[in-house]
Amino acid sequence: MQRGALLDAARTLLSEGGTEALTFPALAERTGLARSSVYEYFRSRAAVVEELCAVDFPVWAAEVEAAMTRADTPEEKIEAYVRRQLALVGDRRHRAVVAISAGELDAGAREKIRAAHGGLIAMIVEALADLGHEQPRLAAMLLQGVVDAAVRRIELGAAEDPTDITEAAVAMALRGIHG
């Protein structure tokens, strides 16, 4: 119960104030726990982020996979893949993990995040193979690069409306898969 409250507080702190806001004193204040109690659950900020990824990433991946499952053609699957990821950008769980720079995490945390993203990429490889790509994994990584760039644009509060960013990313992905 307290672990869940700490994770929820961490999501809020990260989404409201970025990396600098995620401190053990702030977690303690948000949850009403003593600072020493926070250390009973997590040894570091990286450990908090690792746990957030372990808890939240499978939920996002399941949402992306469900959207793709509802699609019929490989093109529709790719469109669903891009749209669902970009729709999740506004989700507090997503914003929290994006707020963490990989450079601030230990090697174990960075590897877990890479592995989780690898799972997303694996979802789209089959659709790209169905379209006849000779290197569907490479194409999937490049496609994810388009998604990641769109995520950063939306997260940064770019001048463009998030809907316009999404439409541009979808158009680029769909044109690129046939390139």
Side-chain angles (χ1 to χ4, degrees), residues 47-108:
V48 175
V49 173
E50 281 184 62
E51 181 111 3
L52 283 173
C53 288
V55 170
D56 292 345
F57 203 87
V59 175
W60 310 329
E63 290 183 33
V64 172
E65 189 170 33
M68 290 176 64
T69 300
R70 291 188 295 271
D72 295 320
T73 67
E75 289 90 350
E76 289 172 349
K77 288 182 184 305
I78 290 165
E79 181 173 352
Y81 176 84
V82 173
R83 283 191 188 282
R84 191 65 202 134
Q85 284 190 72
L86 296 179
L88 289 169
V89 171
D91 185 297
R92 183 171 73 101
R93 295 166 301 169
H94 183 267
R95 288 194 337 249
V97 176
V98 168
I100 294 290
S101 160
E104 296 182 37
L105 301 178
D106 61 34

Side-chain angles (χ1 to χ4, degrees), residues 37-52:
S37 295
V38 176
Y39 284 99
E40 291 177 25
Y41 292 93
F42 300 103
R43 68 191 183 308
S44 66
R45 289 182 341 152
V48 175
V49 173
E50 281 184 62
E51 181 111 3
L52 283 173

Side-chain angles (χ1 to χ4, degrees), residues 127-144:
L128 290 162
D130 289 346
L131 289 171
H133 278 272
E134 289 182 22
Q135 294 183 307
R137 179 139 178 87
L138 174 59
M141 289 187 283
L142 295 174
L143 174 61
Q144 186 61 43

Side-chain angles (χ1 to χ4, degrees), residues 8-50:
D8 196 47
R11 284 181 198 100
T12 300
L13 289 166
L14 287 167
S15 65
E16 289 176 356
T19 311
E20 299 79 33
L22 180 61
T23 65
F24 279 27
L27 283 170
E29 183 180 329
R30 288 277 175 138
T31 58
L33 295 172
R35 184 176 172 185
S36 59
S37 295
V38 176
Y39 284 99
E40 291 177 25
Y41 292 93
F42 300 103
R43 68 191 183 308
S44 66
R45 289 182 341 152
V48 175
V49 173
E50 281 184 62

